[in-house]
Amino acid sequence: SGCVYLSKPAEPEVLTQQIAGFLAETRRPRPPELQPQMQAQAPRLAPTVFVIDDDCSARDDMRELLREHGYAAETYASGEAFLDADRSERNGCLLIDAMMPGMGGIALLERLTAAHRGWPAIIITGYGDVAMAVRAMKAGAAEGLAKPVRANELIASIARASERSQDAGQRSAWR
């Protein structure tokens, strides 16, 4: 039925190869009978990646990487700065540093979730543990990545989060 079985602990290279294979399968051309449906759908705007990190060089590096891969990127130095910006009716995903001065990334996610203003979110941290990961997932994080983040991991995570953000109904069903 198309399932792959991997024993724990799975080797990262094997897991990455399996995921890449699945992603390649989803990019294959659709059967001709599905083409008219696809053409009838309205084109969607590319989602924005909102990078929230207190480290200026990390924000700049992520913004450049995202732009190189075709994503629009906006950067914020804190959770408070992100909340102060007006992004109503915007499509995208969040890339949030878990530990920042003031409002940390998980507190920001909890606040957004409480206000029913969620975007798919990816938490990044250099000091994570299981308890932090659980709290981040409960707050609404789709994924967590450890610093230093590898470019291919980051882009793959953002691609998954962006797919979720393109359709509000799909996002609600996913949550």
mmCIF file of all heavy atoms in Angstrom, residues 3-39:
data_model
loop_
_atom_site.group_PDB
_atom_site.id
_atom_site.type_symbol
_atom_site.label_atom_id
_atom_site.label_comp_id
_atom_site.label_asym_id
_atom_site.label_seq_id
_atom_site.Cartn_x
_atom_site.Cartn_y
_atom_site.Cartn_z
ATOM 1 N N CYS A 3 3.512 1.922 1.845
ATOM 2 C CA CYS A 3 4.113 2.250 3.136
ATOM 3 C C CYS A 3 5.562 1.771 3.173
ATOM 4 O O CYS A 3 5.922 0.784 2.560
ATOM 5 C CB CYS A 3 3.336 1.600 4.278
ATOM 6 S SG CYS A 3 1.670 2.233 4.440
ATOM 7 N N VAL A 4 6.365 2.487 3.921
ATOM 8 C CA VAL A 4 7.755 2.108 4.128
ATOM 9 C C VAL A 4 7.944 1.901 5.614
ATOM 10 O O VAL A 4 7.487 2.699 6.424
ATOM 11 C CB VAL A 4 8.708 3.204 3.615
ATOM 12 C CG1 VAL A 4 10.136 2.895 3.976
ATOM 13 C CG2 VAL A 4 8.556 3.367 2.114
ATOM 14 N N TYR A 5 8.630 0.819 5.974
ATOM 15 C CA TYR A 5 8.881 0.513 7.372
ATOM 16 C C TYR A 5 10.342 0.792 7.667
ATOM 17 O O TYR A 5 11.233 0.284 6.985
ATOM 18 C CB TYR A 5 8.551 -0.948 7.648
ATOM 19 C CG TYR A 5 8.920 -1.383 9.043
ATOM 20 C CD1 TYR A 5 8.074 -1.122 10.115
ATOM 21 C CD2 TYR A 5 10.114 -2.032 9.285
ATOM 22 C CE1 TYR A 5 8.424 -1.509 11.396
ATOM 23 C CE2 TYR A 5 10.473 -2.426 10.558
ATOM 24 C CZ TYR A 5 9.623 -2.159 11.622
ATOM 25 O OH TYR A 5 9.964 -2.527 12.883
ATOM 26 N N LEU A 6 10.601 1.619 8.688
ATOM 27 C CA LEU A 6 11.958 1.879 9.147
ATOM 28 C C LEU A 6 12.013 1.576 10.635
ATOM 29 O O LEU A 6 11.138 1.996 11.385
ATOM 30 C CB LEU A 6 12.350 3.341 8.922
ATOM 31 C CG LEU A 6 12.377 3.833 7.479
ATOM 32 C CD1 LEU A 6 12.671 5.325 7.436
ATOM 33 C CD2 LEU A 6 13.434 3.084 6.693
ATOM 34 N N SER A 7 13.036 0.892 11.069
ATOM 35 C CA SER A 7 13.200 0.597 12.492
ATOM 36 C C SER A 7 13.822 1.797 13.191
ATOM 37 O O SER A 7 14.663 2.490 12.630
ATOM 38 C CB SER A 7 14.110 -0.608 12.687
ATOM 39 O OG SER A 7 13.532 -1.753 12.103
ATOM 40 N N LYS A 8 13.390 2.016 14.437
ATOM 41 C CA LYS A 8 13.979 3.075 15.246
ATOM 42 C C LYS A 8 15.245 2.565 15.889
ATOM 43 O O LYS A 8 15.306 1.398 16.275
ATOM 44 C CB LYS A 8 13.003 3.520 16.339
ATOM 45 C CG LYS A 8 11.843 4.308 15.829
ATOM 46 C CD LYS A 8 11.011 4.775 17.007
ATOM 47 C CE LYS A 8 9.834 5.596 16.585
ATOM 48 N NZ LYS A 8 9.034 6.041 17.726
ATOM 49 N N PRO A 9 16.268 3.325 16.046
ATOM 50 C CA PRO A 9 16.376 4.685 15.537
ATOM 51 C C PRO A 9 16.728 4.668 14.051
ATOM 52 O O PRO A 9 17.659 3.967 13.649
ATOM 53 C CB PRO A 9 17.502 5.298 16.358
ATOM 54 C CG PRO A 9 18.359 4.124 16.740
ATOM 55 C CD PRO A 9 17.415 2.950 16.858
ATOM 56 N N ALA A 10 15.997 5.379 13.263
ATOM 57 C CA ALA A 10 16.241 5.419 11.822
ATOM 58 C C ALA A 10 17.460 6.299 11.551
ATOM 59 O O ALA A 10 17.646 7.327 12.190
ATOM 60 C CB ALA A 10 15.023 5.983 11.093
ATOM 61 N N GLU A 11 18.279 5.878 10.621
ATOM 62 C CA GLU A 11 19.438 6.670 10.228
ATOM 63 C C GLU A 11 18.943 7.908 9.485
ATOM 64 O O GLU A 11 18.078 7.806 8.595
ATOM 65 C CB GLU A 11 20.359 5.857 9.311
ATOM 66 C CG GLU A 11 21.025 4.692 10.005
ATOM 67 C CD GLU A 11 21.986 5.147 11.095
ATOM 68 O OE1 GLU A 11 22.688 6.152 10.904
ATOM 69 O OE2 GLU A 11 22.024 4.484 12.153
ATOM 70 N N PRO A 12 19.456 9.091 9.820
ATOM 71 C CA PRO A 12 18.991 10.329 9.157
ATOM 72 C C PRO A 12 19.102 10.282 7.640
ATOM 73 O O PRO A 12 18.209 10.758 6.942
ATOM 74 C CB PRO A 12 19.904 11.407 9.738
ATOM 75 C CG PRO A 12 20.366 10.857 11.047
ATOM 76 C CD PRO A 12 20.436 9.369 10.864
ATOM 77 N N GLU A 13 20.178 9.684 7.130
ATOM 78 C CA GLU A 13 20.343 9.631 5.679
ATOM 79 C C GLU A 13 19.258 8.767 5.031
ATOM 80 O O GLU A 13 18.720 9.117 3.987
ATOM 81 C CB GLU A 13 21.734 9.089 5.313
ATOM 82 C CG GLU A 13 22.880 9.991 5.736
ATOM 83 C CD GLU A 13 23.241 9.832 7.210
ATOM 84 O OE1 GLU A 13 22.891 8.805 7.838
ATOM 85 O OE2 GLU A 13 23.868 10.764 7.750
ATOM 86 N N VAL A 14 18.934 7.645 5.649
ATOM 87 C CA VAL A 14 17.907 6.753 5.117
ATOM 88 C C VAL A 14 16.549 7.438 5.163
ATOM 89 O O VAL A 14 15.779 7.415 4.194
ATOM 90 C CB VAL A 14 17.882 5.418 5.895
ATOM 91 C CG1 VAL A 14 16.712 4.552 5.463
ATOM 92 C CG2 VAL A 14 19.196 4.675 5.714
ATOM 93 N N LEU A 15 16.261 8.076 6.283
ATOM 94 C CA LEU A 15 14.990 8.786 6.442
ATOM 95 C C LEU A 15 14.876 9.911 5.413
ATOM 96 O O LEU A 15 13.838 10.071 4.764
ATOM 97 C CB LEU A 15 14.872 9.330 7.864
ATOM 98 C CG LEU A 15 13.563 9.992 8.241
ATOM 99 C CD1 LEU A 15 12.394 9.035 8.080
ATOM 100 C CD2 LEU A 15 13.640 10.481 9.681
ATOM 101 N N THR A 16 15.948 10.676 5.233
ATOM 102 C CA THR A 16 15.946 11.767 4.266
ATOM 103 C C THR A 16 15.730 11.248 2.851
ATOM 104 O O THR A 16 14.983 11.834 2.072
ATOM 105 C CB THR A 16 17.265 12.559 4.353
ATOM 106 O OG1 THR A 16 17.423 13.037 5.687
ATOM 107 C CG2 THR A 16 17.271 13.737 3.398
ATOM 108 N N GLN A 17 16.370 10.118 2.496
ATOM 109 C CA GLN A 17 16.191 9.538 1.168
ATOM 110 C C GLN A 17 14.746 9.100 0.950
ATOM 111 O O GLN A 17 14.184 9.299 -0.129
ATOM 112 C CB GLN A 17 17.135 8.357 0.961
ATOM 113 C CG GLN A 17 18.577 8.754 0.806
ATOM 114 C CD GLN A 17 19.504 7.553 0.763
ATOM 115 O OE1 GLN A 17 19.099 6.423 1.032
ATOM 116 N NE2 GLN A 17 20.771 7.792 0.430
ATOM 117 N N GLN A 18 14.130 8.509 1.974
ATOM 118 C CA GLN A 18 12.737 8.080 1.850
ATOM 119 C C GLN A 18 11.820 9.284 1.643
ATOM 120 O O GLN A 18 10.925 9.256 0.792
ATOM 121 C CB GLN A 18 12.301 7.303 3.094
ATOM 122 C CG GLN A 18 12.900 5.937 3.198
ATOM 123 C CD GLN A 18 12.439 5.021 2.070
ATOM 124 O OE1 GLN A 18 11.304 5.085 1.616
ATOM 125 N NE2 GLN A 18 13.333 4.178 1.587
ATOM 126 N N ILE A 19 12.042 10.325 2.432
ATOM 127 C CA ILE A 19 11.217 11.529 2.308
ATOM 128 C C ILE A 19 11.400 12.151 0.932
ATOM 129 O O ILE A 19 10.420 12.529 0.284
ATOM 130 C CB ILE A 19 11.561 12.533 3.428
ATOM 131 C CG1 ILE A 19 11.115 11.975 4.782
ATOM 132 C CG2 ILE A 19 10.907 13.890 3.166
ATOM 133 C CD1 ILE A 19 11.627 12.752 5.981
ATOM 134 N N ALA A 20 12.642 12.262 0.481
ATOM 135 C CA ALA A 20 12.903 12.827 -0.846
ATOM 136 C C ALA A 20 12.195 12.012 -1.929
ATOM 137 O O ALA A 20 11.640 12.572 -2.877
ATOM 138 C CB ALA A 20 14.403 12.880 -1.105
ATOM 139 N N GLY A 21 12.190 10.695 -1.773
ATOM 140 C CA GLY A 21 11.492 9.850 -2.741
ATOM 141 C C GLY A 21 9.997 10.102 -2.755
ATOM 142 O O GLY A 21 9.378 10.195 -3.811
ATOM 143 N N PHE A 22 9.408 10.241 -1.565
ATOM 144 C CA PHE A 22 7.970 10.541 -1.496
ATOM 145 C C PHE A 22 7.658 11.901 -2.098
ATOM 146 O O PHE A 22 6.672 12.061 -2.804
ATOM 147 C CB PHE A 22 7.464 10.494 -0.061
ATOM 148 C CG PHE A 22 7.391 9.107 0.521
ATOM 149 C CD1 PHE A 22 7.770 8.871 1.828
ATOM 150 C CD2 PHE A 22 6.937 8.035 -0.224
ATOM 151 C CE1 PHE A 22 7.707 7.604 2.381
ATOM 152 C CE2 PHE A 22 6.869 6.765 0.308
ATOM 153 C CZ PHE A 22 7.256 6.542 1.618
ATOM 154 N N LEU A 23 8.506 12.892 -1.813
ATOM 155 C CA LEU A 23 8.284 14.225 -2.365
ATOM 156 C C LEU A 23 8.426 14.212 -3.880
ATOM 157 O O LEU A 23 7.673 14.892 -4.580
ATOM 158 C CB LEU A 23 9.251 15.232 -1.740
ATOM 159 C CG LEU A 23 9.020 15.537 -0.270
ATOM 160 C CD1 LEU A 23 10.131 16.430 0.271
ATOM 161 C CD2 LEU A 23 7.665 16.180 -0.053
ATOM 162 N N ALA A 24 9.362 13.457 -4.400
ATOM 163 C CA ALA A 24 9.535 13.359 -5.850
ATOM 164 C C ALA A 24 8.298 12.742 -6.491
ATOM 165 O O ALA A 24 7.868 13.162 -7.563
ATOM 166 C CB ALA A 24 10.779 12.540 -6.180
ATOM 167 N N GLU A 25 7.706 11.750 -5.822
ATOM 168 C CA GLU A 25 6.486 11.129 -6.346
ATOM 169 C C GLU A 25 5.345 12.121 -6.412
ATOM 170 O O GLU A 25 4.553 12.100 -7.347
ATOM 171 C CB GLU A 25 6.070 9.945 -5.479
ATOM 172 C CG GLU A 25 6.964 8.746 -5.628
ATOM 173 C CD GLU A 25 6.563 7.615 -4.681
ATOM 174 O OE1 GLU A 25 5.439 7.641 -4.158
ATOM 175 O OE2 GLU A 25 7.387 6.716 -4.487
ATOM 176 N N THR A 26 5.241 13.026 -5.439
ATOM 177 C CA THR A 26 4.130 13.987 -5.442
ATOM 178 C C THR A 26 4.313 15.052 -6.507
ATOM 179 O O THR A 26 3.360 15.722 -6.866
ATOM 180 C CB THR A 26 3.971 14.672 -4.070
ATOM 181 O OG1 THR A 26 5.152 15.413 -3.780
ATOM 182 C CG2 THR A 26 3.676 13.669 -2.986
ATOM 183 N N ARG A 27 5.527 15.190 -7.046
ATOM 184 C CA ARG A 27 5.773 16.207 -8.062
ATOM 185 C C ARG A 27 5.602 15.681 -9.477
ATOM 186 O O ARG A 27 5.729 16.406 -10.440
ATOM 187 C CB ARG A 27 7.184 16.764 -7.896
ATOM 188 C CG ARG A 27 7.330 17.578 -6.641
ATOM 189 C CD ARG A 27 8.658 18.285 -6.621
ATOM 190 N NE ARG A 27 8.787 18.992 -5.373
ATOM 191 C CZ ARG A 27 9.778 18.853 -4.523
ATOM 192 N NH1 ARG A 27 10.769 18.048 -4.797
ATOM 193 N NH2 ARG A 27 9.822 19.527 -3.404
ATOM 194 N N ARG A 28 5.348 14.397 -9.625
ATOM 195 C CA ARG A 28 5.155 13.821 -10.963
ATOM 196 C C ARG A 28 3.905 14.430 -11.591
ATOM 197 O O ARG A 28 2.954 14.776 -10.904
ATOM 198 C CB ARG A 28 5.005 12.309 -10.870
ATOM 199 C CG ARG A 28 6.300 11.630 -10.511
ATOM 200 C CD ARG A 28 6.150 10.142 -10.560
ATOM 201 N NE ARG A 28 7.404 9.540 -10.139
ATOM 202 C CZ ARG A 28 7.492 8.409 -9.492
ATOM 203 N NH1 ARG A 28 6.411 7.714 -9.206
ATOM 204 N NH2 ARG A 28 8.647 7.944 -9.134
ATOM 205 N N PRO A 29 3.891 14.524 -12.917
ATOM 206 C CA PRO A 29 2.718 15.083 -13.590
ATOM 207 C C PRO A 29 1.453 14.300 -13.255
ATOM 208 O O PRO A 29 1.478 13.085 -13.106
ATOM 209 C CB PRO A 29 3.051 14.953 -15.081
ATOM 210 C CG PRO A 29 4.537 14.758 -15.143
ATOM 211 C CD PRO A 29 4.938 14.137 -13.844
ATOM 212 N N ARG A 30 0.364 15.010 -13.138
ATOM 213 C CA ARG A 30 -0.923 14.399 -12.834
ATOM 214 C C ARG A 30 -1.471 13.709 -14.083
ATOM 215 O O ARG A 30 -1.171 14.095 -15.203
ATOM 216 C CB ARG A 30 -1.921 15.457 -12.384
ATOM 217 C CG ARG A 30 -1.418 16.277 -11.226
ATOM 218 C CD ARG A 30 -2.174 15.922 -10.019
ATOM 219 N NE ARG A 30 -1.708 16.767 -8.921
ATOM 220 C CZ ARG A 30 -1.809 16.452 -7.678
ATOM 221 N NH1 ARG A 30 -2.372 15.337 -7.333
ATOM 222 N NH2 ARG A 30 -1.376 17.241 -6.735
ATOM 223 N N PRO A 31 -2.323 12.711 -13.896
ATOM 224 C CA PRO A 31 -2.963 12.076 -15.048
ATOM 225 C C PRO A 31 -3.777 13.104 -15.838
ATOM 226 O O PRO A 31 -4.281 14.066 -15.263
ATOM 227 C CB PRO A 31 -3.884 11.027 -14.416
ATOM 228 C CG PRO A 31 -3.375 10.832 -13.031
ATOM 229 C CD PRO A 31 -2.693 12.095 -12.640
ATOM 230 N N PRO A 32 -3.918 12.901 -17.150
ATOM 231 C CA PRO A 32 -4.627 13.877 -17.991
ATOM 232 C C PRO A 32 -6.044 14.182 -17.505
ATOM 233 O O PRO A 32 -6.505 15.315 -17.626
ATOM 234 C CB PRO A 32 -4.661 13.215 -19.375
ATOM 235 C CG PRO A 32 -3.544 12.222 -19.348
ATOM 236 C CD PRO A 32 -3.372 11.800 -17.922
ATOM 237 N N GLU A 33 -6.726 13.202 -16.913
ATOM 238 C CA GLU A 33 -8.096 13.459 -16.471
ATOM 239 C C GLU A 33 -8.161 14.462 -15.318
ATOM 240 O O GLU A 33 -9.200 15.062 -15.068
ATOM 241 C CB GLU A 33 -8.828 12.163 -16.092
ATOM 242 C CG GLU A 33 -8.195 11.388 -14.942
ATOM 243 C CD GLU A 33 -7.128 10.393 -15.393
ATOM 244 O OE1 GLU A 33 -6.697 10.434 -16.556
ATOM 245 O OE2 GLU A 33 -6.728 9.576 -14.558
ATOM 246 N N LEU A 34 -7.048 14.680 -14.631
ATOM 247 C CA LEU A 34 -7.035 15.658 -13.535
ATOM 248 C C LEU A 34 -6.584 17.043 -13.980
ATOM 249 O O LEU A 34 -6.755 18.008 -13.263
ATOM 250 C CB LEU A 34 -6.124 15.181 -12.400
ATOM 251 C CG LEU A 34 -6.566 13.927 -11.670
ATOM 252 C CD1 LEU A 34 -5.573 13.594 -10.561
ATOM 253 C CD2 LEU A 34 -7.954 14.094 -11.090
ATOM 254 N N GLN A 35 -6.031 17.149 -15.183
ATOM 255 C CA GLN A 35 -5.517 18.429 -15.643
ATOM 256 C C GLN A 35 -6.584 19.529 -15.716
ATOM 257 O O GLN A 35 -6.352 20.619 -15.250
ATOM 258 C CB GLN A 35 -4.820 18.276 -17.003
ATOM 259 C CG GLN A 35 -3.563 17.435 -16.961
ATOM 260 C CD GLN A 35 -2.486 18.021 -16.077
ATOM 261 O OE1 GLN A 35 -2.366 19.234 -15.944
ATOM 262 N NE2 GLN A 35 -1.714 17.154 -15.447
ATOM 263 N N PRO A 36 -7.787 19.285 -16.279
ATOM 264 C CA PRO A 36 -8.772 20.364 -16.330
ATOM 265 C C PRO A 36 -9.130 20.893 -14.937
ATOM 266 O O PRO A 36 -9.285 22.084 -14.755
ATOM 267 C CB PRO A 36 -9.992 19.728 -17.003
ATOM 268 C CG PRO A 36 -9.413 18.593 -17.789
ATOM 269 C CD PRO A 36 -8.244 18.112 -16.992
ATOM 270 N N GLN A 37 -9.238 20.022 -13.943
ATOM 271 C CA GLN A 37 -9.530 20.467 -12.584
ATOM 272 C C GLN A 37 -8.440 21.379 -12.078
ATOM 273 O O GLN A 37 -8.703 22.400 -11.479
ATOM 274 C CB GLN A 37 -9.621 19.269 -11.639
ATOM 275 C CG GLN A 37 -10.943 18.586 -11.642
ATOM 276 C CD GLN A 37 -10.940 17.495 -10.591
ATOM 277 O OE1 GLN A 37 -9.938 16.817 -10.366
ATOM 278 N NE2 GLN A 37 -12.066 17.319 -9.944
ATOM 279 N N MET A 38 -7.224 21.003 -12.319
ATOM 280 C CA MET A 38 -6.107 21.796 -11.825
ATOM 281 C C MET A 38 -6.075 23.156 -12.498
ATOM 282 O O MET A 38 -5.810 24.165 -11.857
ATOM 283 C CB MET A 38 -4.787 21.070 -12.048
ATOM 284 C CG MET A 38 -4.632 19.851 -11.149
ATOM 285 S SD MET A 38 -3.160 18.897 -11.503
ATOM 286 C CE MET A 38 -1.890 20.128 -11.360
ATOM 287 N N GLN A 39 -6.369 23.223 -13.784
ATOM 288 C CA GLN A 39 -6.351 24.491 -14.496
ATOM 289 C C GLN A 39 -7.508 25.374 -14.059
ATOM 290 O O GLN A 39 -7.416 26.589 -14.125
ATOM 291 C CB GLN A 39 -6.414 24.237 -15.999
ATOM 292 C CG GLN A 39 -5.132 23.586 -16.502
ATOM 293 C CD GLN A 39 -5.259 23.098 -17.930
ATOM 294 O OE1 GLN A 39 -6.328 23.139 -18.528
ATOM 295 N NE2 GLN A 39 -4.158 22.624 -18.478
#
